[in-house]
Amino acid sequence: MIKKSLIINGLPRTLLVNPEENLAKVLREQLLLTGCKVGCQIGQCGTCTVIVDGKAVRSCLVKMKKLEDGTKIETIEGVGTPENLHPLQLAWMGHGCAQCGYCSPGFIMSAKVLLEENPDPTREEVRAWFQKHRNLCRCTGYKPLVDAVMDAAKVLRGEMKKEDLIFTPVGNKILGTSYVRPSALQKVTGTWGYGADMALEMPADTARLALVQADIPHAVIKGVDFEEAGKMPGVIKVITAKDVKGKNRISGLITFATNKGDGWDRPILCDEKIFQIGDAVAIVAADTEEHAKEAAKAVKLDLEPLPAYMSAMEAMEEDAIEIHPGTPNVYFETNCIKGEDTKPIMESAPYVAEVHAYTSRQPHLHLEPDCGCAYIDEEGRLTVHSKSIGIHLHSAMIVAGIGVEPDKFRLIQNPSGGTFGYKFSPTMEALLGVACLALDGRACTLVYDQYQNITYTGKRSPAFMNIKLAADAEGRLLGMEGDNYVDHGPYSEFGDLLTMRLSQFTGAGYDIRNIRNKSQTVCTNHAWGSAFRGYGSPQSLMGSELCMDILAEKMGMDPFELRYKNIYRKEWGSTTPTGQTPEVYNLEEMYEKARPIYYEAKERLAKMNTEKLKYGVGFAAGIYGCGLDGKDSSIANVQLNPDGTVTVFNSWEDHGQGADIGTLTMAHETLRQAGITPDKIQLVMNDTGRTPASGPAGGSRSNVVTGNATRVAAEMLVNAMRKTDGTYRTYEEMVAENIPVFYEGTWVASACTDCDLETAQGAPFSNYMYQLFIPEVEVNVETGQVRVIRYSTICDFGTIINKTVVDGQVYGGLTQGIGLALSEDFEDYSKHTTLAGCGIPYPKDVPDDINIVYVETKRPEGPYGASGCGEGPLTAGHPAILSAIYNATGARITELPAKPEKVKEALLRR
């Protein structure tokens, strides 16, 4: 222990610290300055950036022994107050930079130093600064962050007023504007309490948990020896499968009856077998996290290795054993059967194109590691706080496994640092519940480090897409065939639903009358598959969009024109691959807006080529449905309060996409009829003990389904408040007239149907989102390095509910698509275990020049005409980038990611 005298946020502080401890840990755990976030602990993400003697420093890399007495340290808590924010904080709010908000304090601290050193930076200098200081963001795509720095700099130079950084409504209307999301203020001041922050604020006797995890992918468990671990300092209990009071399984909620599994294949704590690297076998509970982790290392696992099938192809070999005895490794099949038999069409068509494409196991790479806590609440309920984006869904999935009655379980979503879909599956919720009960109700916390976060949470399921397209002599599509395989890892949950998406979205956007497309789900021993933004469409469109490019090449036709010739058209009676009539026919307008952008880029880039650097433009179309299949529904409640405010209750989970501003705007657009302003609307969200079952926040369903339910609830209240003369009752008048002040709004996608299990024909979604992708790339033919240098996109998400939020979703989704196309992967457990190792895009990897063009076709079934927007930007950007590489070089790449070595191989094959 050493004594340090430091100046922290302008005040002298004397601290007793471990000399080997890092500054981030001391700030967070000893001073509770939790605005300093910890993402990676190895200096790759910048979330822990603070200012040390005027320099931007990643505090996880700074040992306390290196700090001199008198060192000045500034954290986000010392930058501004809610009443007097720094221009950077205001600009961050105004430009929508605080999406999940986890990286915001680190970026703001970094930018503050930049503007102190360079008051008038260029956009390129801002991006270079963030690159140099390793500031990472997974949500925003970086462009809004640069916008914010540029505007904050103007304020600091006196060229812009501080108040102009924030949008102010004109009149009582916020729909379609850039009204700031309610959570923004806390996010930019570092006071938005994420799960790991909450863990530090728990009572002193809280148990801290650590996992005992397998380091091989497939094995029989012969024994677990925890005798030595149980005697180590601070250990309270070592919890194994024998301590689980329930079934010790997570219900995979089998979606379709043709699934050959039973959905109970995922243990909470492994008791018989190991199914993947990282599987949890035991939980150590101790008085400190350090003690728990040390004891976890001492637990000895006696494992008998089994053959490990790390890809779908391996698991389908004839001699492969069943990973789950009694269930075949290929456990689900869906067939899209539409129109006439395609075999004679393929044999006689003038043009037939074929592609064998592979979409990789993309990691989510959320910067906030998974985390949560559990305790028994005042009503005797086992209560878990987590990052869940499906609190009612997850309750149903885990209560039997934990061993509690549904009414004795409560799940609350913490403020969450991004999930991008991985939390559609429960991760630590069941572990926390089991531990709390095994500890006789003692409160406990579990916080992963980034290595665990990457290796022990779900990934996008890779897919092998084998697609054929046939066309007539003029280029009209005659038919499509497919034979596809999804590697869903060892656990079946939602694997069948994911694979059904290949029936729904392969070939989407085109008038294809005849389809025979088979897709199968395969169990493997690689990382388990969970939802990821776009859910099934990146795999589907990787197949059909690349095949469209190959078909265009065979015909000598521009790929844009081939697509335009075949898009959905009302006069043709075009339908989706599942035979559903689209809710709008908007593609002609979208393509006409895209046409001049695409051809201008094609002409301009052709003139830029050098011997070393080649330039090209690509094109692809993406479509995604909003909702869970069939008659998806949601519930929201509203209540008029004595003070004239209105409280909205729903379970619209927020993983950074803006559920708070979505709820506020959906309610306000109706409530404003009664003169209610946004500041008079209170939000109560995401607590199964207080909020209704609105459904999970996945598949971009919430904006449509929960948005509609919120609208309906607000309409019910407004209708009750309205008098015959057109004025509105007060709370007192409502009570005096015995009129209820609480209303439950329900909305059901009543016109939708499930897809037929034999043919996949049906009308699964009430709304779709549509997006066209036009990336421009630079290819270094000597190194194989590819850069996206400019990006244009045409989007139709219906009515835009909040402009800043929708912009942010597009920027962020395009950036994740760049990562999927060029760098991101989780395949090699020796390499792909850090954010950088997995290929996450840094500022230098994303263009600053991004052009978004909106078409707002009102949706008949959307709230105020809105559709969803979250999935669209990650549907088909990756095949568009591969298309651009081909346009630049003539090298055809059909497997992701297109890393330099893969590009060089393709260049040699030309």
Side-chain angles (χ1 to χ4, degrees):
M1 197 72 70
I2 58 174
K3 181 171 73 70
K4 286 288 181 182
S5 298
L6 307 171
I7 310 298
I8 300 178
N9 293 328
L11 297 174
R13 302 292 299 267
T14 299
L15 304 175
L16 296 176
V17 298
N18 179 339
E20 298 299 324
E21 203 56 84
N22 65 55
L23 176 59
K25 189 175 179 67
V26 170
L27 290 173
R28 288 180 54 80
E29 298 186 13
Q30 292 187 226
L31 298 174
L32 287 183
L33 293 172
T34 54
C36 170
K37 306 303 178 190
V38 173
C40 67
Q41 299 178 317
I42 55 174
Q44 291 186 355
C45 72
T47 61
C48 66
T49 299
V50 298
I51 301 173
V52 178
D53 285 338
K55 301 295 182 183
V57 170
R58 283 159 280 167
S59 57
C60 72
L61 299 179
V62 177
K63 293 288 182 68
M64 294 304 298
K65 66 184 180 183
K66 297 291 186 180
L67 295 176
E68 301 289 340
D69 282 348
T71 296
K72 295 179 180 179
I73 299 169
E74 189 176 3
T75 73
I76 192 70
E77 290 86 351
V79 171
T81 65
E83 298 77 23
N84 185 26
L85 294 170
H86 189 281
L88 278 166
Q89 293 170 307
L90 277 171
W92 235 251
M93 294 170 63
H95 283 281
C97 302
Q99 290 189 25
C100 85
Y102 198 74
C103 69
S104 294
F107 266 100
I108 291 169
M109 300 309 293
S110 183
K112 185 172 185 290
V113 178
L114 165 63
L115 295 184
E116 288 168 354
E117 293 185 8
N118 181 1
D120 190 11
T122 64
R123 296 185 68 87
E124 292 73 21
E125 287 171 334
V126 175
R127 296 174 70 84
W129 177 273
F130 288 146
Q131 180 73 26
K132 174 184 175 183
H133 290 82
R134 311 307 282 168
N135 289 113
L136 266 178
C137 178
R138 189 60 165 164
C139 295
T140 65
Y142 301 109
K143 186 178 186 296
L145 311 183
V146 180
D147 294 339
V149 174
M150 299 303 286
D151 276 357
K154 290 178 183 177
V155 172
L156 291 169
R157 294 195 304 268
E159 299 169 7
M160 184 178 181
K161 293 180 181 179
K162 199 173 176 181
E163 53 267 28
D164 291 339
L165 292 168
I166 299 293
F167 169 81
T168 302
V170 177
N172 188 21
K173 185 176 178 64
I174 63 172
L175 187 143
T177 71
S178 294
Y179 194 80
V180 173
R181 65 177 76 191
S183 58
L185 177 62
Q186 286 182 269
K187 289 172 179 175
V188 302
T189 54
T191 57
W192 192 241
Y194 299 89
D197 304 334
M198 184 178 180
L200 297 177
E201 298 161 2
M202 297 284 282
D205 64 344
T206 299
R208 310 299 177 173
L209 308 179
L211 301 182
V212 178
Q213 296 173 276
D215 60 3
I216 59 175
H218 200 195
V220 174
I221 300 173
K222 308 294 286 185
V224 181
D225 181 359
F226 53 86
E227 183 177 357
E228 178 186 346
K231 299 175 182 177
M232 292 180 69
V235 172
I236 301 165
K237 185 178 180 67
V238 179
I239 302 161
T240 68
K242 295 178 181 178
D243 299 297
V244 180
K245 302 182 185 301
K247 192 170 181 176
N248 191 30
R249 293 293 185 274
I250 293 171
S251 170
L253 298 179
I254 292 301
T255 310
F256 302 114
T258 50
N259 191 319
K260 295 176 182 176
D262 63 4
W264 291 101
D265 50 20
R266 184 175 165 203
I268 298 173
L269 290 174
C270 291
D271 45 9
E272 299 173 353
K273 286 182 66 178
I274 300 298
F275 298 99
Q276 68 161 54
I277 290 173
D279 265 349
V281 181
I283 307 170
V284 176
D287 58 346
T288 69
E289 189 174 301
E290 289 77 12
H291 283 154
K293 287 183 175 180
E294 282 302 310
K297 295 176 186 176
V299 176
K300 299 179 178 65
L301 302 181
D302 183 4
L303 304 177
E304 179 184 308
L306 293 171
Y309 307 116
M310 302 302 279
S311 74
M313 298 300 120
E314 294 175 19
M316 292 190 297
E317 292 287 347
E318 286 187 14
D319 61 348
I321 65 172
E322 291 178 340
I323 294 172
H324 294 281
T327 301
N329 290 344
V330 180
Y331 59 88
F332 179 72
E333 178 179 316
T334 171
N335 288 275
C336 182
I337 301 175
K338 179 184 179 183
E340 299 175 5
D341 184 10
T342 54
K343 185 176 180 181
I345 294 173
M346 294 293 168
E347 291 173 348
S348 62
Y351 294 100
V352 176
E354 184 174 6
V355 68
H356 303 285
Y358 173 75
T359 309
S360 57
R361 187 176 280 101
Q362 186 184 20
H364 297 70
L365 302 180
H366 42 282
L367 301 188
E368 180 200 26
D370 209 17
C371 52
C373 66
Y375 56 90
I376 305 299
D377 75 0
E378 67 278 9
E379 296 184 23
R381 293 174 294 191
L382 172 62
T383 301
V384 173
H385 290 245
S386 77
K387 294 178 67 177
S388 169
I389 59 169
I391 54 175
H392 291 86
L393 171 72
H394 289 173
S395 296
M397 292 176 70
I398 65 178
V399 287
I402 295 172
V404 294
E405 293 300 318
D407 63 344
K408 289 296 183 181
F409 183 75
R410 180 183 183 188
L411 185 55
I412 301 170
Q413 189 199 28
N414 281 335
S416 294
T419 87
F420 311 109
Y422 89 94
K423 286 300 298 184
F424 198 91
S425 294
T427 50
M428 62 165 48
E429 287 79 4
L431 294 169
L432 283 163
V434 161
C436 186
L437 293 182
L439 296 170
D440 299 321
R442 185 169 180 170
C444 55
T445 66
L446 178 58
V447 179
Y448 292 169
D449 59 31
Q450 193 60 246
Y451 175 85
Q452 287 177 303
N453 193 54
I454 290 173
T455 58
Y456 191 48
T457 59
K459 302 290 173 281
R460 187 187 300 285
S461 297
F464 299 83
M465 303 295 297
N466 305 292
I467 302 296
K468 282 184 180 180
L469 286 170
D472 66 17
E474 284 72 44
R476 284 292 302 277
L477 295 175
L478 299 173
M480 182 181 78
E481 291 183 348
D483 185 12
N484 316 306
Y485 301 92
V486 173
D487 176 346
H488 197 59
Y491 304 125
S492 65
E493 61 192 55
F494 309 122
D496 51 4
L497 183 62
L498 170 68
T499 309
M500 177 62 78
R501 295 288 180 262
L502 273 61
S503 284
Q504 294 163 340
F505 298 132
T506 307
Y510 306 113
D511 185 61
I512 310 177
R513 304 299 173 96
N514 308 298
I515 299 175
R516 296 295 184 272
N517 183 33
K518 181 173 76 172
S519 303
Q520 298 178 82
T521 322
V522 185
C523 183
T524 72
N525 293 117
H526 214 305
W528 56 282
S530 63
F532 194 162
R533 190 180 201 169
Y535 194 57
S537 63
Q539 296 95 325
S540 302
L541 297 170
M542 178 73 175
S544 55
E545 287 297 296
L546 283 184
C547 203
M548 287 292 282
D549 282 348
I550 294 170
L551 181 60
E553 178 192 8
K554 277 196 167 189
M555 298 188 68
M557 185 182 294
D558 190 285
F560 180 94
E561 299 302 336
L562 177 64
R563 287 174 169 85
Y564 184 72
K565 188 180 285 284
N566 288 283
I567 56 175
Y568 295 159
R569 287 183 169 86
K570 188 174 184 178
E571 61 269 26
W572 293 349
S574 301
T575 60
T576 70
T578 67
Q580 181 177 11
T581 299
E583 85 282 31
V584 291
Y585 287 96
N586 57 351
L587 287 173
E588 285 185 83
E589 181 180 357
M590 294 179 68
Y591 271 74
E592 289 305 330
K593 288 186 180 296
R595 183 184 298 278
I597 298 171
Y598 172 77
Y599 281 108
E600 184 280 329
K602 195 170 184 181
E603 182 179 353
R604 170 172 42 83
L605 293 170
K607 299 174 184 177
M608 293 171 56
N609 289 325
T610 67
E611 187 174 341
K612 178 180 177 181
L613 300 176
K614 305 297 181 184
Y615 296 87
V617 61
F619 188 88
I623 292 180
Y624 198 81
C626 304
L628 303 178
D629 296 48
K631 293 179 171 30
D632 193 4
S633 63
S634 188
I635 303 172
N637 302 329
V638 299
Q639 176 179 286
L640 180 64
N641 302 316
D643 61 358
T645 62
V646 173
T647 303
V648 182
F649 303 83
N650 69 27
S651 299
W652 185 341
E653 297 90 355
D654 197 335
H655 36 142
Q657 82 282 19
D660 55 348
I661 188 63
T663 296
L664 177 67
T665 308
M666 294 294 187
H668 176 260
E669 181 61 15
T670 291
L671 294 173
R672 71 188 185 93
Q673 298 173 35
I676 296 167
T677 54
D679 58 302
K680 297 297 184 182
I681 300 174
Q682 303 169 6
L683 306 181
V684 176
M685 303 176 69
N686 305 322
D687 177 346
T688 61
R690 299 189 65 191
T691 57
S694 305
S700 287
R701 63 177 293 279
S702 299
N703 203 56
V704 173
V705 188
T706 303
N708 264 321
T710 302
R711 172 188 57 81
V712 169
E715 286 174 354
M716 295 170 72
L717 175 59
V718 166
N719 290 337
M721 293 173 68
R722 187 181 294 114
K723 299 179 181 178
T724 55
D725 64 0
T727 62
Y728 293 86
R729 296 177 176 87
T730 64
Y731 175 87
E732 290 77 12
E733 290 173 317
M734 297 277 282
V735 173
E737 296 181 47
N738 202 29
I739 299 174
V741 295
F742 180 90
Y743 292 88
E744 180 177 274
T746 300
W747 189 83
V748 180
S750 56
C752 292
T753 65
D754 291 330
C755 289
D756 183 87
L757 293 182
E758 297 296 324
T759 65
Q761 297 302 285
F765 308 114
S766 65
N767 285 267
Y768 288 83
M769 63 196 84
Y770 303 81
Q771 189 159 352
L772 308 180
F773 301 84
I774 313 173
E776 301 174 24
V777 304
E778 173 192 87
V779 183
N780 185 321
V781 295
E782 294 179 0
T783 65
Q785 188 70 44
V786 178
R787 288 195 311 125
V788 178
I789 58 173
R790 191 171 187 267
Y791 217 134
S792 297
T793 184
I794 319 297
C795 312
D796 190 343
F797 308 136
T799 301
I800 292 176
I801 299 300
N802 182 281
K803 176 65 162 55
T804 305
V805 167
V806 175
D807 283 351
Q809 289 293 289
V810 176
Y811 292 134
L814 293 181
T815 298
Q816 290 179 337
I818 291 171
L820 174 61
L822 300 179
S823 60
E824 294 179 24
D825 204 1
F826 182 74
E827 191 66 32
D828 188 336
Y829 279 89
S830 67
K831 296 178 181 178
H832 301 148
T833 55
T834 66
L835 296 168
C838 285
I840 190 170
Y842 280 88
K844 71 175 178 62
D845 302 313
V846 182
D848 191 55
D849 190 354
I850 301 177
N851 174 36
I852 306 173
V853 178
Y854 290 111
V855 174
E856 292 188 65
T857 309
K858 287 186 176 295
R859 303 300 198 267
E861 295 296 317
Y864 314 111
S867 189
C869 72
E871 319 296 325
L874 197 45
T875 51
H878 48 299
I881 291 170
L882 299 184
S883 171
I885 294 171
Y886 180 80
N887 178 246
T889 65
R892 180 75 69 192
I893 297 170
T894 60
E895 296 181 0
L896 299 179
K899 292 184 178 181
E901 57 271 23
K902 195 169 292 182
V903 175
K904 287 196 73 174
E905 289 175 9
L907 288 167
L908 292 173
R909 290 197 304 267
R910 286 180 297 179

